[in-house]
Amino acid sequence: MPEEDEEIVASVVAGKIPSYVLETRLGDCRRAAGVRREAVRRITGREIEGLPLDGFDYASILGQCCELPVGYVQLPVGIAGPLLLDGQRFYVPMATTEGCLVASTNRGCKAIAESGGATSVVLRDGMTRAPVARFPTARRAAEVKAFLEDPNNFDTLSMIFNRSSRFARLQGVQCAMAGRNLYMRFTCSTGDAMGMNMVSKGVQNVLDFLQDDFPDMDVISISGNFCSDKKPAAVNWIEGRGKSVVCEAVIKEEVVKKVLKTNVQSLVELNTIKNLAGSAIAGALGGFNAHASNIVTAIFIATGQDPAQNVESSHCITMLEPINDGKDLHISVTMPSIEVGTVGGGTQLASQSACLDLLGVKGANRDSPGSNARLLATVVAGGVLAGELSLLSALAAGQLVKSHMKYNRSSKDMSKALP
């Protein structure tokens, strides 16, 4: 620790200087992180060895990504691909610590490519925010509900909402009531941003506008959980949130046998009994798949998405059917709420930006706003398609435990580590 920082560290340890003001007081984000780290070391008595400090641009996260930094966590990034999707080849970055995941997804990509590729379609594209307001009576709440859902008022609401951004465009309002509480679910397009902040600003504009005509409206929260963000919810499964995507492929019989080491009939039967019936027995909500969240989360972390949004982004139903007299396999994944963006948040960090650039979706698309984010959503769905295909094949062939014992376990002689 440099001598000039010793006094600052001592003041932080003593509680005289709040840790959160170090960046502002020192004017040096790297220095602030170092001082904070040393203060934590002295307070806890822990060395924090193995957590790197140098080699990261702390100024890039100031005020937008992470507060009170003391270092950064390293995660390996693997590449699965090429994923042949809609006539393009993508090399998909996946940040994970789970052995076999990238290799398995890569095998799925190979099977898809050797069968002619996958195709995708984006059904919907709209981020949501649902504030909740309380009224003196349920009748009064119903009046506001009727006002918001009246098509004659949409142009006015849209004009008020769209003032928040040149990219935000109101698509609709869906309301629900619980007693005298009114939940208003606003949906809007958000360009290439994931759009949570954008839609929240638009919603606030509308709430301010409504307050003039409905002064007895008591806004309880800008988010009333009818959105619904970072929680499994039927409204996202049914209505969609973010990008709603379907991705499909036809896997040839010879590829199923040669690459996936199984057969069409076994795959179809397994999917029905496991992904459909098994998930129904479990009372699953949006979880009619083998491991969609594995691929979603790995791509999210690599590309700077909000990893907590893997909850609703991993909603997926995987369908397998025999076609061409049972010789070939039709596989599809339907994902109604993939929440991704290519600008804002963690997407601007150097490593994550590089992964987005690898996919050809870095930043905003100025010619066609929103197209980069939609393309990223289709890549996520395509990756899930590959991952589902490969894992189901491993299960059908009885390969899962064998592969994990080979690739996902340490080969070190653990007996020597025993006391």
Side-chain angles (χ1 to χ4, degrees), residues 74 115 128 133 139 206 222 226 309 364 394 396 400:
Q74 295 171 307
S115 296
T128 65
R139 181 180 293 275
V206 174
I222 189 70
F226 186 40
Q309 288 185 323
L400 182 66

Side-chain angles (χ1 to χ4, degrees), residues 80-85 88-92 109 112-113 118 378-379 381-383 386:
L83 170 65
L84 183 54
L85 176 65
Q88 299 185 64
R89 294 181 182 272
F90 297 95
Y91 289 86
V92 184
C109 289
I112 291 170
T378 64
V379 170

Side-chain angles (χ1 to χ4, degrees), residues 43 50 77 308 335 374:
I43 292 170
V77 176
M335 306 179 68
R374 285 190 291 273

Side-chain angles (χ1 to χ4, degrees), residues 95-116:
T96 182
T97 56
E98 180 181 346
C100 295
L101 178 58
V102 180
S104 179
T105 307
N106 191 64
R107 182 174 75 147
C109 289
K110 181 180 180 181
I112 291 170
E114 291 192 8
S115 296

Side-chain angles (χ1 to χ4, degrees), residues 128-132 183-186 203 221-227:
T128 65
R129 174 57 86 200
V132 56
Y183 299 81
M184 303 159 270
R185 192 174 191 260
F186 291 79
V203 167
S221 173
I222 189 70
S223 173
N225 276 14
F226 186 40
C227 311

Side-chain angles (χ1 to χ4, degrees), residues 46 78 100 119 122 124 154 218 224 234 242 256 269-270 276 289 294 339-340:
R46 304 289 181 177
C100 295
T119 58
V122 178
R124 286 172 293 199
F154 179 79
D218 179 16
V256 173
E269 182 180 52
L270 173 63
L276 304 184
N289 59 80
N294 246 341
E339 299 165 356
V340 293

Side-chain angles (χ1 to χ4, degrees), residues 148-164:
L148 290 171
E149 294 181 339
D150 186 342
N152 294 322
N153 296 326
F154 179 79
D155 288 344
T156 300
L157 294 173
S158 180
M159 180 185 67
I160 300 298
F161 184 99
N162 295 349
R163 289 175 182 171
S164 63

Side-chain angles (χ1 to χ4, degrees), residues 18 23 38 40 44 65 85 103 113 121 127 132 147 149 174 176 212 230 235 253 269 275 286 288 303 309 330 335 393:
E23 280 78 7
E38 177 62 16
V40 170
T44 64
C65 286
L85 176 65
V121 58
M127 182 49 63
V132 56
F147 176 84
E149 294 181 339
Q174 177 186 6
D212 292 335
K230 302 174 185 176
V235 68
E253 181 183 33
E269 182 180 52
N275 284 346
F288 296 87
T303 59
Q309 288 185 323
H330 181 277
M335 306 179 68
S393 298

